[in-house]
Amino acid sequence: MASPEAEEPEMHHPEPSPEGGDAKKTPLPQSPPANTISKPKIPRTLIFATLYASISGLLFGYQMGITGGALHSLQSSMELTAAQSESISSLFFIGLMIASPFGGYACDRLGRRSSILYMDGLFLLAAFILTLAPNYKTILAGRFIAGCASGISLVAAVSYLTELASAEHHHSHRGALVSTVEASVSLGFLVSYLASYAFTVALESEDAWRLLFGAGTGFLAVIQWMGMRKMPESPEWLAE
């Protein structure tokens, strides 16, 4: 009697993949960690433009803060009444209120950078009038001109930095650059208080108000004028 044949085990061969052959899986690209992504550096020209344009905020804060320190010597020098002293303080804000709505028109007509330069000229005119003011009405005129210059210069500085940062593709830094104008307003208050203490308390000069109103304003305006002359104009205004 013959022995039954041993059954051979079935061999299962792996089926080829539809793409043919055993394809190796390629790893998916991984994005770098968030903390390793570096922001683009701010160009040197944009940094200097921010510093010079921020002097508009510095001038604005200085003009508002300098009144309190200069009125004491002004009252004793000109023998002003309380009402006249209040008028000298308020004329700056009246000029600011009248000129500010025309800041946008001046920027569109003259250019952002050019508007700042022209307002520096008005600041110099106001400084000249206040330094040599012979009477009460002349002081009012100088304060009114300084208010007009501050109103337009602030609008032009903010527009200039916003458009310059956008043109340089530094949108991530735009808020920080524009906010320097607002921060400079607070710095202007500090500078005015320090100057008032130096000229009215330390030196005890009756004509300290001429230096505070005139020389301080003219000094800041000259620095901004000299710096802004070297800065480029806003590309968006040139494209209009």
Side-chain angles (χ1 to χ4, degrees):
M1 182 172 168
S3 61
E5 297 180 357
E7 296 182 358
E8 298 180 358
E10 295 182 0
M11 301 294 293
H12 296 280
H13 300 282
E15 296 181 0
S17 60
E19 299 175 357
D22 296 335
K24 296 182 178 180
K25 295 182 178 180
T26 57
L28 296 176
Q30 297 180 355
S31 58
N35 55 0
T36 60
I37 300 176
S38 60
K39 294 183 180 180
K41 294 183 179 180
I42 304 177
R44 188 175 181 180
T45 303
L46 187 55
I47 294 177
F48 279 105
T50 303
L51 293 176
Y52 290 129
S54 298
I55 298 180
S56 296
L58 185 64
L59 280 164
F60 176 65
Y62 180 83
Q63 291 296 323
M64 288 195 299
I66 205 63
T67 308
L71 280 182
H72 178 72
S73 61
L74 180 60
Q75 287 176 336
S76 60
S77 177
M78 289 283 185
E79 298 181 355
L80 301 178
T81 62
Q84 289 175 332
S85 299
E86 293 173 359
S87 298
I88 291 175
S89 301
S90 61
L91 252 292
F92 171 78
F93 296 99
I94 293 176
L96 184 73
M97 180 182 62
I98 293 175
S100 294
F102 298 97
Y105 174 79
C107 291
D108 293 336
R109 186 74 176 178
L110 304 173
R112 285 61 163 161
R113 169 180 165 272
S114 299
S115 296
I116 296 176
L117 292 174
Y118 281 116
M119 293 308 105
D120 287 332
L122 274 185
F123 275 122
L124 288 174
L125 176 62
F128 180 78
I129 292 174
L130 290 169
T131 303
L132 304 177
N135 51 44
Y136 165 70
K137 292 183 178 180
T138 310
I139 298 174
L140 291 180
R143 291 289 290 168
F144 179 78
I145 295 174
C148 293
S150 292
I152 298 178
S153 183
L154 273 177
V155 176
V158 173
S159 300
Y160 177 72
L161 290 180
T162 302
E163 297 177 1
L164 199 63
S166 300
E168 295 286 346
H169 304 289
H170 290 277
H171 302 281
S172 58
H173 301 101
R174 182 171 55 190
L177 295 176
V178 175
S179 63
T180 56
V181 179
E182 300 176 1
S184 298
V185 176
S186 301
L187 182 60
F189 276 101
L190 177 61
V191 172
S192 67
Y193 295 152
L194 294 177
S196 298
Y197 178 82
F199 288 107
T200 60
V201 179
L203 298 180
E204 297 182 356
S205 175
E206 290 187 358
D207 290 331
W209 63 271
R210 297 184 184 272
L211 297 175
L212 294 173
F213 278 139
T217 302
F219 176 73
L220 294 175
V222 167
I223 292 178
Q224 187 180 40
W225 182 81
M226 293 177 63
M228 289 300 297
R229 287 180 66 247
K230 303 175 183 178
M231 296 297 105
E233 182 56 87
S234 168
E236 292 191 18
W237 182 79
L238 295 174
E240 294 178 357

